[in-house]
mmCIF file of all heavy atoms in Angstrom:
data_model
loop_
_atom_site.group_PDB
_atom_site.id
_atom_site.type_symbol
_atom_site.label_atom_id
_atom_site.label_comp_id
_atom_site.label_asym_id
_atom_site.label_seq_id
_atom_site.Cartn_x
_atom_site.Cartn_y
_atom_site.Cartn_z
ATOM 1 N N THR A 1 105.755 81.166 109.477
ATOM 2 C CA THR A 1 104.873 80.097 109.110
ATOM 3 C C THR A 1 103.468 80.440 109.155
ATOM 4 O O THR A 1 102.581 79.858 108.622
ATOM 5 C CB THR A 1 105.138 78.867 109.985
ATOM 6 O OG1 THR A 1 104.816 79.137 111.344
ATOM 7 C CG2 THR A 1 106.571 78.456 109.904
ATOM 8 N N LEU A 2 103.222 81.521 110.057
ATOM 9 C CA LEU A 2 101.885 81.903 110.206
ATOM 10 C C LEU A 2 101.256 82.857 109.082
ATOM 11 O O LEU A 2 100.100 82.851 108.717
ATOM 12 C CB LEU A 2 101.829 82.750 111.477
ATOM 13 C CG LEU A 2 100.348 83.077 112.042
ATOM 14 C CD1 LEU A 2 99.708 81.813 112.503
ATOM 15 C CD2 LEU A 2 100.580 83.902 113.312
ATOM 16 N N GLY A 3 102.155 83.451 108.361
ATOM 17 C CA GLY A 3 101.871 84.335 107.224
ATOM 18 C C GLY A 3 100.950 83.650 106.234
ATOM 19 O O GLY A 3 99.920 84.290 105.884
ATOM 20 N N PRO A 4 101.408 82.546 105.626
ATOM 21 C CA PRO A 4 100.557 81.914 104.580
ATOM 22 C C PRO A 4 99.113 81.502 105.159
ATOM 23 O O PRO A 4 98.235 81.650 104.348
ATOM 24 C CB PRO A 4 101.369 80.654 104.223
ATOM 25 C CG PRO A 4 102.656 80.983 104.539
ATOM 26 C CD PRO A 4 102.687 81.852 105.808
ATOM 27 N N ILE A 5 99.023 81.224 106.357
ATOM 28 C CA ILE A 5 97.672 80.862 106.944
ATOM 29 C C ILE A 5 96.860 82.041 107.010
ATOM 30 O O ILE A 5 95.710 82.084 106.694
ATOM 31 C CB ILE A 5 97.948 80.204 108.263
ATOM 32 C CG1 ILE A 5 98.752 78.927 108.232
ATOM 33 C CG2 ILE A 5 96.436 79.910 108.958
ATOM 34 C CD1 ILE A 5 99.056 78.278 109.599
ATOM 35 N N LEU A 6 97.500 83.100 107.423
ATOM 36 C CA LEU A 6 96.685 84.467 107.584
ATOM 37 C C LEU A 6 96.167 84.847 106.177
ATOM 38 O O LEU A 6 95.153 85.442 106.083
ATOM 39 C CB LEU A 6 97.572 85.447 108.257
ATOM 40 C CG LEU A 6 97.900 85.290 109.666
ATOM 41 C CD1 LEU A 6 98.829 86.367 110.231
ATOM 42 C CD2 LEU A 6 96.654 85.033 110.496
ATOM 43 N N ASN A 7 97.159 84.827 105.166
ATOM 44 C CA ASN A 7 96.802 85.148 103.813
ATOM 45 C C ASN A 7 95.489 84.388 103.286
ATOM 46 O O ASN A 7 94.748 84.816 102.558
ATOM 47 C CB ASN A 7 97.997 84.964 102.821
ATOM 48 C CG ASN A 7 98.725 86.229 102.700
ATOM 49 O OD1 ASN A 7 98.146 87.382 102.845
ATOM 50 N ND2 ASN A 7 100.005 86.222 102.415
ATOM 51 N N MET A 8 95.510 83.107 103.603
ATOM 52 C CA MET A 8 94.431 82.219 103.205
ATOM 53 C C MET A 8 93.146 82.742 103.676
ATOM 54 O O MET A 8 92.114 82.803 103.051
ATOM 55 C CB MET A 8 94.732 80.796 103.681
ATOM 56 C CG MET A 8 93.532 79.833 103.270
ATOM 57 S SD MET A 8 93.877 78.151 103.937
ATOM 58 C CE MET A 8 93.670 78.427 105.679
ATOM 59 N N TYR A 9 93.199 83.127 105.017
ATOM 60 C CA TYR A 9 91.809 83.690 105.619
ATOM 61 C C TYR A 9 91.649 85.104 105.170
ATOM 62 O O TYR A 9 90.452 85.416 104.944
ATOM 63 C CB TYR A 9 92.104 83.723 107.102
ATOM 64 C CG TYR A 9 91.780 82.401 107.823
ATOM 65 C CD1 TYR A 9 92.835 81.440 108.044
ATOM 66 C CD2 TYR A 9 90.440 82.033 108.265
ATOM 67 C CE1 TYR A 9 92.586 80.240 108.619
ATOM 68 C CE2 TYR A 9 90.184 80.866 108.886
ATOM 69 C CZ TYR A 9 91.169 79.851 108.984
ATOM 70 O OH TYR A 9 90.965 78.678 109.581
ATOM 71 N N LEU A 10 92.603 85.952 104.841
ATOM 72 C CA LEU A 10 92.398 87.232 104.421
ATOM 73 C C LEU A 10 91.780 87.260 103.030
ATOM 74 O O LEU A 10 91.148 88.242 102.606
ATOM 75 C CB LEU A 10 93.676 88.051 104.400
ATOM 76 C CG LEU A 10 94.236 88.472 105.784
ATOM 77 C CD1 LEU A 10 95.727 89.020 105.593
ATOM 78 C CD2 LEU A 10 93.324 89.330 106.503
ATOM 79 N N ASN A 11 92.014 86.175 102.281
ATOM 80 C CA ASN A 11 91.265 86.092 100.904
ATOM 81 C C ASN A 11 89.853 85.744 100.999
ATOM 82 O O ASN A 11 89.122 85.636 100.041
ATOM 83 C CB ASN A 11 92.125 85.105 100.152
ATOM 84 C CG ASN A 11 93.439 85.550 99.668
ATOM 85 O OD1 ASN A 11 93.628 86.688 99.565
ATOM 86 N ND2 ASN A 11 94.380 84.633 99.537
ATOM 87 N N MET A 12 89.421 85.398 102.171
ATOM 88 C CA MET A 12 87.971 85.037 102.435
ATOM 89 C C MET A 12 87.194 86.347 102.715
ATOM 90 O O MET A 12 87.693 87.411 103.071
ATOM 91 C CB MET A 12 87.728 84.110 103.595
ATOM 92 C CG MET A 12 88.543 82.767 103.395
ATOM 93 S SD MET A 12 88.301 81.769 104.918
ATOM 94 C CE MET A 12 89.378 80.388 104.452
ATOM 95 N N ALA A 13 85.821 86.300 102.497
ATOM 96 C CA ALA A 13 84.967 87.500 102.688
ATOM 97 C C ALA A 13 85.060 88.112 104.047
ATOM 98 O O ALA A 13 85.184 89.319 104.207
ATOM 99 C CB ALA A 13 83.471 87.105 102.271
ATOM 100 N N ASN A 14 85.060 87.162 105.030
ATOM 101 C CA ASN A 14 85.128 87.725 106.441
ATOM 102 C C ASN A 14 86.326 87.277 107.126
ATOM 103 O O ASN A 14 86.441 87.096 108.388
ATOM 104 C CB ASN A 14 83.857 87.267 107.223
ATOM 105 C CG ASN A 14 83.796 85.675 107.250
ATOM 106 O OD1 ASN A 14 84.358 85.067 106.453
ATOM 107 N ND2 ASN A 14 83.161 85.249 108.249
ATOM 108 N N GLY A 15 87.376 87.006 106.380
ATOM 109 C CA GLY A 15 88.636 86.539 106.974
ATOM 110 C C GLY A 15 89.274 87.479 108.006
ATOM 111 O O GLY A 15 89.762 87.003 108.988
ATOM 112 N N GLY A 16 89.261 88.777 107.700
ATOM 113 C CA GLY A 16 89.859 89.739 108.689
ATOM 114 C C GLY A 16 89.127 89.645 109.983
ATOM 115 O O GLY A 16 89.714 89.676 111.094
ATOM 116 N N THR A 17 87.670 89.555 109.971
ATOM 117 C CA THR A 17 86.979 89.443 111.281
ATOM 118 C C THR A 17 87.343 88.178 111.981
ATOM 119 O O THR A 17 87.392 88.195 113.196
ATOM 120 C CB THR A 17 85.430 89.414 110.831
ATOM 121 O OG1 THR A 17 85.166 90.688 110.259
ATOM 122 C CG2 THR A 17 84.688 89.347 112.086
ATOM 123 N N LEU A 18 87.455 87.085 111.255
ATOM 124 C CA LEU A 18 87.825 85.808 111.860
ATOM 125 C C LEU A 18 89.147 85.906 112.633
ATOM 126 O O LEU A 18 89.268 85.424 113.740
ATOM 127 C CB LEU A 18 87.816 84.610 110.851
ATOM 128 C CG LEU A 18 86.530 84.242 110.198
ATOM 129 C CD1 LEU A 18 86.747 83.233 109.158
ATOM 130 C CD2 LEU A 18 85.438 83.763 111.226
ATOM 131 N N ILE A 19 90.088 86.464 111.912
ATOM 132 C CA ILE A 19 91.480 86.687 112.528
ATOM 133 C C ILE A 19 91.451 87.491 113.774
ATOM 134 O O ILE A 19 91.956 87.170 114.790
ATOM 135 C CB ILE A 19 92.333 87.181 111.493
ATOM 136 C CG1 ILE A 19 92.624 86.220 110.372
ATOM 137 C CG2 ILE A 19 93.839 87.620 112.163
ATOM 138 C CD1 ILE A 19 93.510 86.781 109.232
ATOM 139 N N MET A 20 90.699 88.570 113.694
ATOM 140 C CA MET A 20 90.587 89.484 114.854
ATOM 141 C C MET A 20 89.887 88.783 116.048
ATOM 142 O O MET A 20 90.253 89.033 117.199
ATOM 143 C CB MET A 20 90.015 90.839 114.426
ATOM 144 C CG MET A 20 90.839 91.609 113.547
ATOM 145 S SD MET A 20 92.559 91.975 114.040
ATOM 146 C CE MET A 20 92.221 92.822 115.562
ATOM 147 N N SER A 21 88.853 88.092 115.680
ATOM 148 C CA SER A 21 88.139 87.298 116.778
ATOM 149 C C SER A 21 88.944 86.357 117.394
ATOM 150 O O SER A 21 88.912 86.241 118.686
ATOM 151 C CB SER A 21 86.793 86.749 116.051
ATOM 152 O OG SER A 21 85.996 87.637 115.502
ATOM 153 N N ALA A 22 89.724 85.556 116.633
ATOM 154 C CA ALA A 22 90.565 84.625 117.251
ATOM 155 C C ALA A 22 91.711 85.140 118.060
ATOM 156 O O ALA A 22 92.066 84.754 119.166
ATOM 157 C CB ALA A 22 91.151 83.731 116.192
ATOM 158 N N LEU A 23 92.164 86.312 117.562
ATOM 159 C CA LEU A 23 93.259 86.984 118.316
ATOM 160 C C LEU A 23 92.773 87.599 119.548
ATOM 161 O O LEU A 23 93.392 87.455 120.645
ATOM 162 C CB LEU A 23 93.757 88.147 117.350
ATOM 163 C CG LEU A 23 95.024 88.857 117.959
ATOM 164 C CD1 LEU A 23 96.215 87.948 118.134
ATOM 165 C CD2 LEU A 23 95.420 90.073 117.042
ATOM 166 N N ALA A 24 91.579 88.111 119.637
ATOM 167 C CA ALA A 24 90.951 88.708 120.734
ATOM 168 C C ALA A 24 90.606 87.549 121.762
ATOM 169 O O ALA A 24 90.952 87.805 123.036
ATOM 170 C CB ALA A 24 89.681 89.521 120.409
ATOM 171 N N MET A 25 90.120 86.523 121.376
ATOM 172 C CA MET A 25 89.712 85.395 122.286
ATOM 173 C C MET A 25 90.981 84.805 122.897
ATOM 174 O O MET A 25 91.014 84.442 124.083
ATOM 175 C CB MET A 25 88.988 84.340 121.426
ATOM 176 C CG MET A 25 88.517 83.233 122.388
ATOM 177 S SD MET A 25 87.320 83.770 123.640
ATOM 178 C CE MET A 25 85.864 84.197 122.679
ATOM 179 N N THR A 26 92.044 84.730 122.135
ATOM 180 C CA THR A 26 93.302 84.198 122.537
ATOM 181 C C THR A 26 93.927 85.113 123.638
ATOM 182 O O THR A 26 94.292 84.621 124.690
ATOM 183 C CB THR A 26 94.429 84.016 121.451
ATOM 184 O OG1 THR A 26 93.852 83.244 120.386
ATOM 185 C CG2 THR A 26 95.737 83.492 121.876
ATOM 186 N N GLY A 27 93.894 86.389 123.401
ATOM 187 C CA GLY A 27 94.445 87.387 124.442
ATOM 188 C C GLY A 27 93.561 87.309 125.722
ATOM 189 O O GLY A 27 94.127 87.253 126.776
ATOM 190 N N LEU A 28 92.211 87.262 125.508
ATOM 191 C CA LEU A 28 91.384 87.189 126.781
ATOM 192 C C LEU A 28 91.586 85.979 127.453
ATOM 193 O O LEU A 28 91.581 85.999 128.703
ATOM 194 C CB LEU A 28 89.921 87.380 126.402
ATOM 195 C CG LEU A 28 89.523 88.805 125.813
ATOM 196 C CD1 LEU A 28 88.021 88.682 125.214
ATOM 197 C CD2 LEU A 28 89.618 89.844 126.882
ATOM 198 N N SER A 29 91.742 84.859 126.799
ATOM 199 C CA SER A 29 91.923 83.540 127.443
ATOM 200 C C SER A 29 93.195 83.612 128.240
ATOM 201 O O SER A 29 93.274 83.016 129.410
ATOM 202 C CB SER A 29 91.906 82.457 126.450
ATOM 203 O OG SER A 29 90.597 82.371 125.745
ATOM 204 N N PHE A 30 94.319 84.172 127.629
ATOM 205 C CA PHE A 30 95.594 84.094 128.273
ATOM 206 C C PHE A 30 95.514 84.969 129.500
ATOM 207 O O PHE A 30 96.057 84.657 130.519
ATOM 208 C CB PHE A 30 96.668 84.625 127.312
ATOM 209 C CG PHE A 30 97.924 84.829 127.945
ATOM 210 C CD1 PHE A 30 98.754 83.770 128.282
ATOM 211 C CD2 PHE A 30 98.455 86.096 128.269
ATOM 212 C CE1 PHE A 30 100.059 83.904 128.867
ATOM 213 C CE2 PHE A 30 99.684 86.175 128.826
ATOM 214 C CZ PHE A 30 100.496 85.158 129.178
ATOM 215 N N MET A 31 94.840 86.213 129.387
ATOM 216 C CA MET A 31 94.790 87.036 130.583
ATOM 217 C C MET A 31 93.991 86.364 131.746
ATOM 218 O O MET A 31 94.359 86.484 132.885
ATOM 219 C CB MET A 31 94.243 88.428 130.222
ATOM 220 C CG MET A 31 95.174 89.221 129.355
ATOM 221 S SD MET A 31 94.536 90.949 129.055
ATOM 222 C CE MET A 31 93.149 90.625 128.061
ATOM 223 N N GLY A 32 92.872 85.780 131.251
ATOM 224 C CA GLY A 32 92.010 85.150 132.408
ATOM 225 C C GLY A 32 92.768 83.935 133.065
ATOM 226 O O GLY A 32 92.698 83.874 134.223
ATOM 227 N N LEU A 33 93.401 83.120 132.312
ATOM 228 C CA LEU A 33 94.028 81.983 132.752
ATOM 229 C C LEU A 33 95.232 82.369 133.656
ATOM 230 O O LEU A 33 95.405 81.817 134.739
ATOM 231 C CB LEU A 33 94.480 81.025 131.642
ATOM 232 C CG LEU A 33 93.437 80.315 130.932
ATOM 233 C CD1 LEU A 33 94.045 79.681 129.628
ATOM 234 C CD2 LEU A 33 92.769 79.252 131.724
ATOM 235 N N SER A 34 96.000 83.397 133.121
ATOM 236 C CA SER A 34 97.170 83.821 133.947
ATOM 237 C C SER A 34 96.755 84.453 135.176
ATOM 238 O O SER A 34 97.333 84.273 136.301
ATOM 239 C CB SER A 34 97.959 84.716 133.079
ATOM 240 O OG SER A 34 98.460 84.137 131.877
ATOM 241 N N ALA A 35 95.713 85.243 135.098
ATOM 242 C CA ALA A 35 95.120 85.968 136.363
ATOM 243 C C ALA A 35 94.746 84.904 137.373
ATOM 244 O O ALA A 35 94.988 85.162 138.584
ATOM 245 C CB ALA A 35 94.105 86.901 135.997
ATOM 246 N N TYR A 36 94.052 83.916 136.960
ATOM 247 C CA TYR A 36 93.578 82.919 137.876
ATOM 248 C C TYR A 36 94.728 82.202 138.598
ATOM 249 O O TYR A 36 94.790 81.944 139.761
ATOM 250 C CB TYR A 36 92.718 81.886 137.191
ATOM 251 C CG TYR A 36 92.083 80.771 137.987
ATOM 252 C CD1 TYR A 36 91.249 81.139 139.079
ATOM 253 C CD2 TYR A 36 92.594 79.473 137.825
ATOM 254 C CE1 TYR A 36 90.722 80.129 139.904
ATOM 255 C CE2 TYR A 36 91.983 78.450 138.671
ATOM 256 C CZ TYR A 36 91.120 78.795 139.626
ATOM 257 O OH TYR A 36 90.607 77.831 140.539
ATOM 258 N N ALA A 37 95.754 81.823 137.779
ATOM 259 C CA ALA A 37 96.913 81.144 138.290
ATOM 260 C C ALA A 37 97.756 82.050 139.356
ATOM 261 O O ALA A 37 98.230 81.628 140.386
ATOM 262 C CB ALA A 37 97.834 80.604 137.287
ATOM 263 N N LEU A 38 97.849 83.316 138.910
ATOM 264 C CA LEU A 38 98.609 84.271 139.753
ATOM 265 C C LEU A 38 97.834 84.609 141.077
ATOM 266 O O LEU A 38 98.496 84.636 142.157
ATOM 267 C CB LEU A 38 98.742 85.578 139.010
ATOM 268 C CG LEU A 38 99.828 85.480 137.739
ATOM 269 C CD1 LEU A 38 99.693 86.748 136.991
ATOM 270 C CD2 LEU A 38 101.149 85.213 138.350
ATOM 271 N N ILE A 39 96.519 84.756 140.984
ATOM 272 C CA ILE A 39 95.754 85.063 142.199
ATOM 273 C C ILE A 39 95.496 83.879 143.116
ATOM 274 O O ILE A 39 95.685 84.067 144.277
ATOM 275 C CB ILE A 39 94.379 85.753 141.848
ATOM 276 C CG1 ILE A 39 94.659 87.109 141.030
ATOM 277 C CG2 ILE A 39 93.555 85.985 143.002
ATOM 278 C CD1 ILE A 39 93.365 87.683 140.451
ATOM 279 N N SER A 40 95.140 82.802 142.512
ATOM 280 C CA SER A 40 94.848 81.646 143.377
ATOM 281 C C SER A 40 96.103 80.987 143.931
ATOM 282 O O SER A 40 96.082 80.510 144.998
ATOM 283 C CB SER A 40 94.109 80.674 142.540
ATOM 284 O OG SER A 40 94.747 80.046 141.512
ATOM 285 N N LYS A 41 97.311 81.051 143.101
ATOM 286 C CA LYS A 41 98.517 80.392 143.454
ATOM 287 C C LYS A 41 98.269 78.973 143.700
ATOM 288 O O LYS A 41 99.001 78.353 144.632
ATOM 289 C CB LYS A 41 99.126 81.093 144.762
ATOM 290 C CG LYS A 41 99.608 82.589 144.440
ATOM 291 C CD LYS A 41 100.229 83.178 145.607
ATOM 292 C CE LYS A 41 100.629 84.610 145.353
ATOM 293 N NZ LYS A 41 101.411 85.226 146.415
ATOM 294 N N LYS A 42 97.391 78.337 143.036
ATOM 295 C CA LYS A 42 97.116 76.956 143.226
ATOM 296 C C LYS A 42 98.221 76.154 142.457
ATOM 297 O O LYS A 42 98.910 76.642 141.651
ATOM 298 C CB LYS A 42 95.699 76.549 142.592
ATOM 299 C CG LYS A 42 94.539 76.987 143.440
ATOM 300 C CD LYS A 42 93.230 76.504 142.835
ATOM 301 C CE LYS A 42 92.094 76.962 143.612
ATOM 302 N NZ LYS A 42 90.731 76.456 142.964
#
């Protein structure tokens, strides 16, 4: 289901950059949130 959405962005001038930015931010957010929950054990 994600494929058609990615294709829509890839057809834009800076679509590839937007996808990579969103992917990087998602990864960093997950690592940060997970690390906080793991270390704090709150």
